[in-house]
Amino acid sequence: MSYRPPPQQRSPTSPYSTQQGHYSPPAASPASRYPPQQQYNGHPPPQRQYTGTPTNYSPQVTGYFDDDRAGLLQHSAPAPASTPYGGGYNHPLERNGPPPPMDSRVRIQPDTMRGEPRKLGYRKTVRHVQLTQGNLVLDCPVPDKLLRNVKYTTGEEFTHMRYTAATCDPNEFLKNRYTLRTHNYGRKTELFIVMTMYNEDDQLFLKTMNSVIKNIAHLCSRTKSKTWGPDGWQKATVCVVADGRTKIHPRVLKVLGAMGVYQDGIAKTKVMDNAVTAHIYEYTTQVMVDRETGKIFGSDKGSVPIQVIFCLKEKNAKKLNSHRWFFRAFAPLLNPNVCILLDVGTRPSGTSLYHLWKAFDRAPYIGGACGEICAELGKGWTNLLNPLVASQNFEYKMSNILDKPLESVFGYISVLPGAFSAYRYRALKDIAPGVGPLSSYFKGEALHGDAANAGIFEANMYLAEDRILCFELVAKKGEQWLLKYVKAAKAETDVPDNLAEFISQRRRWLNGSFFASFFATWHFYRIWTSGQNLWRKLLMTFFFIYNFVNLVFNWFALGNFYLTFFFLTKASVPTTYQTMVDGQLKQETQQTSVPDPFYGHGEIAFTFLRELYIMVIIVIVISALGNRPQGSKMIYWLCVIIFALLMLVMLYVAGFTIWQTVPKSVSAWKSAWNLFQTSPAFRDIIISLGSTYFLYFFSSFLYGEPWHMFTSFIQYLALLPSYVNILMVYAFCNTHDVSWGTKGDNGGESLGAAEVTTGKDGQQLIKVEIPTEKEDINQNYEKFLRDLAVPEVKKASHRDAKTKQEDYYKLFRTRLVLCWMFSNALLIVALTSDAFTEWVATHNPNAQMSYNPYLTFIFWSVAGLSAIRFLGSTSYILLRLVFG
């Protein structure tokens, strides 16, 4: 039998009779529902106090409803406390005041008011609700079916979904007195996970969400941990940020609705004439949706409660803005220890998040960390049948074996991928207003906006904003934060499987990394103003020199690759040149140490292939300047095939030279060392191939992961010339394009407005209208007709600020491409000229053997850089074995 409060306890503003309606009191003390949490530093965290219904309890209804089907919970959030700034300038407002007890609120249960609601038309209803500290906050009951077969069936976070209409910028979230449930409950947030998304479908969303749920379940299973355990879910919060209400995939909303996180028909686009910038849904879900069948599973499948914040941005404002909602709006309220960044579509393994968190727990000086990102290979590795996927798989693997361990040893990882990385929140805080890692990180949002004064260098640099964040974190003035690679943390991600998408993706990656690397190298001296110790400063200085050398080689990669092909093929056939002897021109022929690989036709074949190489480069430049990859698929695929054939010729010539030079008998092997002195071409080829391909094999076996060498190595070799030529040409020819590949179309159907009204007691209320009547639809249609009847006023076209900015970007693109192309062309012309050939011939230590000093320089440079990568990779695995 339900409890009915006496008439004098009902709201004086309620339109319902005092003889109607039932009130269900709050449940008994939830002490049994919420087991005590772990101790923090010897003291329990502040907990929201739940008490049973007191004897003299008098509920206060702070709003009234005209629709008995709404069933909305009205509450009063805690007033903000005025406290000094602490721990950086990311806390413009600290809210340490305890939330009111549950008994000071009244929940109006649905379907208990027997009075008829006041209606407008047939279905258009009006509700009046009181603002929460000036903000529209609604607590909506979840379906009964959602609470079946779950562990917790009582408690506000399980029985009600909360909706908050944010009408401010993320930076003003705290100042506008918004709040979050986790903060109100006084829980300590150890792990704050953000999942950013754009228009990914439900399959990609579930791939990431279900993996996160399994990772949190793993944290709860660590019963011997001082931090985690059965109640560990209370210390982890998942934040999903969708970039644009009109961009999100409809099936993703259905998935979130099935989990109880989202409800349709609740959100509004305006509150008190203020445009809503983000729709924030909060719910502690206990179910997960199966990716294959779409069925819902609860604790029977190992699911644990997950505190979810779903931020649905009203407009599409790019990924940086999504991260700003996470770091500037939500994180200051929860003040987490570790923040983990994930992209929807990335699937972390079952223990990855624990291993990332453990790196911060074991070393207080770690400011950021990343794990190993692997290409998704599909069932039975069937994705490797696509050579584009196989080449990327090899690229990812070797980067995680050679590059990331090397950078981790130095303490500075050039990029922590935004798709799978973690940061200590305290390390990210600014040291002054507008000065610090986060402020530098978010500068790119303004540069990619409509600001006409955005510099093209900075705009390209912030295409790789995660590289800027890594540099700012390590170079933070007066502090000593390091970055670490955690090999035990693994995650899968889907890689582009078609050429057009691949080229477009690498355009942003290459331009962003080039300009960001140049920025970090140019400002390397800031390491000496940080709080790093002297030994670490010296190590990082050496590392920046190493990066500078790589940067120079990347700039001349186009010319170097052609010169390698030119000299390698030219050295395989006899060279004829003219020289002046006693005042007369004479032709001399320099023989090679091995026979012609094409058995007498090498000169003709190599001349044709070199001309073909130059022709393909010209085609790529023209296509990159005028066409999108999506519209020139056949041209780009033809260029890829030609470059693969050229690479095959290079490998054939190198292999033929080695086979013809190596000893063929046991007795000859005794003097094999003399070959390095008598055959410089053989020596250079052996050193170059050994320092790259042999290094790949050895390091892969050393790390216990050799399979990519057998499944993806050949595909990578075939596409390597395309990486150097096609991708770099397209990237530099499109430096004026600083977009992220997503369009900012923010038009969409309005969700309605929440208007202000005054209640009978003088309180300010929000009137929410839900138009569903046919009459209103007709009125909207008539408005369209009236608007169309008004002639459009034509305006004279002028070159606005945005057009001027685009012209400036294109002019910069032209200058950069000309500088890059002519510097590489000058290098090629100088080193392939007759003058250089004659100079080499006169300075050849062995006139009977072909010799090229530049090719020797290239091969030895590759060997030197590879040696540094190998030493760093080996040092990492040794340090990991010793220190864990």
Side-chain angles (χ1 to χ4, degrees):
M1 183 178 214
S2 61
Y3 171 78
R4 176 179 298 179
Q8 63 272 17
Q9 295 183 6
R10 302 186 58 73
S11 170
T13 62
S14 174
Y16 303 105
S17 168
T18 57
Q19 301 299 324
Q20 297 177 344
H22 290 76
Y23 167 74
S24 298
S29 172
S32 59
R33 302 198 308 258
Y34 299 93
Q37 296 185 12
Q38 300 287 340
Q39 298 290 317
Y40 296 90
N41 299 324
H43 301 282
Q47 293 291 321
R48 183 172 183 175
Q49 301 297 321
Y50 293 85
T51 59
T53 305
T55 307
N56 58 350
Y57 174 63
S58 176
Q60 299 294 323
V61 180
T62 58
Y64 68 92
F65 299 84
D66 288 338
D67 189 351
D68 61 347
R69 292 168 294 184
L72 301 178
L73 165 65
Q74 300 307 310
H75 67 276
S76 299
S82 178
T83 58
Y85 293 161
Y89 286 83
N90 292 325
H91 296 273
L93 179 63
E94 290 289 344
R95 309 189 57 185
N96 298 323
M102 278 290 291
D103 296 336
S104 67
R105 305 193 203 170
V106 173
R107 179 183 293 108
I108 298 180
Q109 300 291 348
D111 300 327
T112 57
M113 295 185 180
R114 298 178 181 176
E116 292 295 329
R118 178 166 56 89
K119 296 184 178 181
L120 298 178
Y122 294 95
R123 295 187 179 183
K124 187 176 181 180
T125 59
V126 176
R127 299 195 296 248
H128 291 77
V129 296
Q130 185 178 356
L131 293 176
T132 301
Q133 300 189 112
N135 303 313
L136 177 61
V137 180
L138 305 175
D139 282 333
C140 312
V142 300
D144 294 335
K145 188 176 181 180
L146 191 62
L147 298 179
R148 297 175 186 171
N149 301 323
V150 295
K151 185 176 182 180
Y152 302 101
T153 58
T154 56
E156 179 190 35
E157 63 182 312
F158 303 112
T159 61
H160 287 72
M161 182 274 298
R162 172 170 297 178
Y163 168 76
T164 302
T167 59
C168 64
D169 185 80
N171 291 7
E172 307 295 325
F173 192 77
L174 294 182
K175 292 181 180 179
N176 283 271
R177 304 166 71 183
Y178 288 99
T179 185
L180 297 173
R181 270 183 171 175
T182 306
H183 170 259
N184 290 345
Y185 293 159
R187 291 173 178 166
K188 174 182 173 61
T189 302
E190 184 69 25
L191 208 57
F192 197 16
I193 306 164
V194 62
M195 294 167 46
T196 53
M197 62 181 301
Y198 174 56
N199 60 355
E200 292 82 357
D201 61 16
D202 57 317
Q203 292 297 307
L204 292 176
F205 176 78
L206 285 174
K207 181 169 70 171
T208 304
M209 174 59 79
N210 289 350
S211 297
V212 170
I213 293 175
K214 292 176 182 178
N215 272 268
I216 296 179
H218 173 74
L219 297 177
C220 295
S221 68
R222 303 190 68 86
T223 56
K224 296 182 179 180
S225 173
K226 295 181 179 179
T227 302
W228 306 107
D231 298 320
W233 61 268
Q234 298 182 7
K235 304 173 188 177
T237 301
V238 179
C239 177
V240 181
V241 185
D243 193 13
R245 177 172 61 87
T246 61
K247 299 297 181 182
I248 188 171
H249 198 285
R251 288 185 62 87
V252 173
L253 293 179
K254 296 180 184 296
V255 169
L256 290 168
M259 298 175 65
V261 178
Y262 171 81
Q263 291 187 20
D264 199 9
I266 302 298
K268 298 297 173 186
T269 50
K270 279 190 176 182
V271 175
M272 296 188 300
D273 293 329
N274 295 322
V276 174
T277 55
H279 310 276
I280 303 170
Y281 302 82
E282 298 176 77
Y283 182 66
T284 303
T285 182
Q286 303 178 74
V287 300
M288 60 187 297
V289 180
D290 185 77
R291 185 182 174 189
E292 301 295 334
T293 63
K295 295 182 179 180
I296 298 176
F297 298 101
S299 56
D300 55 330
K301 294 293 184 178
S303 177
V304 297
I306 306 294
Q307 301 177 110
V308 180
I309 301 172
F310 174 43
C311 177
L312 178 59
K313 292 157 51 179
E314 177 65 22
K315 295 183 178 181
N316 168 232
K318 310 297 184 296
K319 182 179 176 180
L320 263 181
N321 181 263
S322 298
H323 278 171
R324 193 154 66 89
W325 275 101
F326 175 75
F327 282 116
R328 293 299 201 192
F330 307 143
L333 265 174
L334 304 186
N335 194 26
N337 180 25
V338 177
C339 299
I340 294 182
L341 278 55
L342 295 173
D343 284 349
V344 166
T346 302
R347 176 168 56 189
S349 64
T351 60
S352 291
L353 301 190
Y354 169 76
H355 288 297
L356 279 180
W357 170 85
K358 192 62 179 179
F360 294 91
D361 185 61
R362 297 178 62 177
Y365 53 84
I366 297 298
C370 70
E372 177 182 352
I373 295 184
C374 310
E376 186 176 5
L377 304 182
K379 295 182 179 179
W381 293 1
T382 53
N383 291 351
L384 292 178
L385 297 176
N386 186 332
L388 198 60
V389 175
S391 67
Q392 293 176 84
N393 175 55
F394 182 86
E395 185 185 20
Y396 279 40
K397 279 294 183 181
M398 295 315 306
S399 175
N400 292 321
I401 291 176
L402 293 177
D403 296 328
K404 284 291 188 291
L406 165 69
E407 295 175 338
S408 184
V409 170
F410 284 99
Y412 171 60
I413 298 178
S414 57
V415 54
L416 298 179
F420 182 55
S421 57
Y423 296 90
R424 193 184 300 274
Y425 180 62
R426 182 163 59 92
L428 294 176
K429 293 180 180 180
D430 295 338
I431 59 177
V435 180
L438 282 182
S439 292
S440 299
Y441 180 61
F442 292 124
K443 284 180 182 178
E445 185 181 353
L447 294 175
H448 290 155
D450 296 330
N453 58 348
I456 182 64
F457 183 92
E458 292 81 4
N460 273 282
M461 181 177 72
Y462 276 97
L463 288 174
E465 76 291 338
D466 39 12
R467 290 178 178 266
I468 302 300
L469 183 60
C470 292
F471 175 77
E472 294 289 343
L473 188 59
V474 171
K476 191 174 182 180
K477 189 173 182 179
E479 301 186 19
Q480 47 180 351
W481 299 106
L482 300 180
L483 307 179
K484 185 176 182 180
Y485 170 62
V486 184
K487 184 169 179 56
K490 300 179 183 293
E492 281 187 352
T493 188
D494 55 327
V495 297
D497 56 359
N498 64 82
L499 186 60
E501 182 184 354
F502 178 62
I503 294 174
S504 299
Q505 180 201 66
R506 293 306 173 98
R507 185 270 308 172
R508 182 173 66 85
W509 285 13
L510 288 174
N511 285 343
S513 62
F514 177 80
F515 287 95
S517 298
F518 186 86
F519 170 84
T521 304
W522 185 260
H523 294 87
F524 80 96
Y525 58 87
R526 289 180 51 189
I527 293 296
W528 292 87
T529 64
S530 67
Q532 309 287 353
N533 58 55
L534 180 60
W535 169 245
R536 185 65 64 177
K537 290 178 180 178
L538 292 174
L539 274 179
M540 289 187 176
T541 301
F542 173 79
F543 183 69
F544 278 112
I545 296 174
Y546 168 79
N547 279 342
F548 175 74
V549 174
N550 276 314
L551 200 62
V552 173
F553 273 95
N554 287 336
W555 177 264
F556 290 103
L558 185 69
N560 285 336
F561 199 91
Y562 174 79
L563 288 172
T564 302
F565 175 79
F566 178 84
F567 290 130
L568 192 61
T569 55
K570 194 175 183 64
S572 303
V573 294
T575 303
T576 302
Y577 60 93
Q578 292 181 338
T579 182
M580 186 71 69
V581 178
D582 298 331
Q584 295 181 353
L585 284 176
K586 290 187 177 181
Q587 284 191 345
E588 293 189 8
T589 301
Q590 186 181 54
Q591 299 296 328
T592 60
S593 58
V594 296
D596 185 347
F598 287 89
Y599 302 99
H601 302 284
E603 183 66 29
I604 299 176
F606 294 145
T607 300
F608 170 76
L609 292 175
R610 287 194 290 267
E611 299 298 333
L612 180 64
Y613 193 125
I614 296 176
M615 183 191 73
V616 174
I617 291 293
I618 295 175
V619 171
I620 294 173
V621 171
I622 295 175
S623 300
L625 289 173
N627 303 323
R628 295 170 60 244
Q630 289 79 359
S632 307
K633 296 180 181 178
M634 295 303 298
I635 294 178
Y636 279 106
W637 267 119
L638 181 61
C639 295
V640 168
I641 294 173
I642 293 176
F643 276 126
L645 293 176
L646 294 176
M647 186 65 183
L648 182 63
V649 171
M650 291 178 63
L651 293 175
Y652 167 70
V653 171
F656 186 85
T657 302
I658 295 174
W659 173 253
Q660 293 293 332
T661 308
V662 295
K664 303 298 188 297
S665 62
V666 178
S667 58
W669 273 103
K670 296 180 180 179
S671 59
W673 182 254
N674 295 332
L675 289 175
F676 286 88
Q677 299 175 346
T678 59
S679 180
F682 172 78
R683 177 195 62 203
D684 295 341
I685 291 175
I686 288 295
I687 292 175
S688 179
L689 295 179
S691 61
T692 51
Y693 305 142
F694 175 77
L695 174 63
Y696 290 162
F697 273 98
F698 183 79
S699 57
S700 297
F701 277 97
L702 183 64
Y703 274 70
E705 299 178 354
W707 306 116
H708 59 279
M709 297 301 303
F710 303 101
T711 61
S712 307
F713 184 45
I714 300 299
Q715 297 92 318
Y716 175 77
L717 288 180
L719 292 177
L720 182 59
S722 299
Y723 276 79
V724 176
N725 295 280
I726 296 179
L727 298 183
M728 293 196 66
V729 168
Y730 183 81
F732 277 136
C733 288
N734 288 273
T735 49
H736 67 289
D737 182 6
V738 294
S739 67
W740 288 68
T742 58
K743 296 183 179 180
D745 180 16
N746 293 307
E749 182 183 359
S750 174
L751 301 177
E755 301 176 355
V756 182
T757 185
T758 304
K760 297 180 180 179
D761 57 353
Q763 289 185 337
Q764 193 179 49
L765 303 175
I766 285 291
K767 182 175 68 173
V768 182
E769 298 186 23
I770 308 178
T772 57
E773 186 59 26
K774 184 177 181 180
E775 175 183 349
D776 299 301
I777 298 175
N778 291 335
Q779 290 178 357
N780 291 334
Y781 181 73
E782 291 295 329
K783 184 178 183 302
F784 288 142
L785 295 180
R786 288 195 302 269
D787 292 341
L788 291 175
V790 178
E792 182 181 2
V793 178
K794 299 292 184 179
K795 296 182 180 180
S797 60
H798 298 283
R799 198 171 70 128
D800 56 7
K802 184 176 180 60
T803 305
K804 292 180 181 179
Q805 182 191 49
E806 292 177 353
D807 291 342
Y808 163 61
Y809 283 4
K810 291 179 180 179
L811 179 61
F812 178 87
R813 182 269 308 269
T814 302
R815 292 172 177 172
L816 179 68
V817 171
L818 288 176
C819 182
W820 177 58
M821 294 293 290
F822 276 110
S823 61
N824 280 272
L826 182 62
L827 180 68
I828 294 173
V829 170
L831 297 181
T832 58
S833 63
D834 293 338
F836 180 77
T837 303
E838 184 177 347
W839 181 87
V840 170
T842 57
H843 292 78
N844 189 352
N846 188 348
Q848 302 301 320
M849 298 294 177
S850 60
Y851 167 70
N852 191 289
Y854 187 77
L855 198 61
T856 303
F857 166 75
I858 292 295
F859 286 159
W860 280 97
S861 298
V862 171
L865 295 175
S866 299
I868 295 176
R869 297 172 70 192
F870 176 71
L871 290 176
S873 176
T874 307
S875 301
Y876 172 83
I877 199 171
L878 291 177
L879 292 173
R880 188 166 179 256
L881 290 174
V882 175
F883 300 105

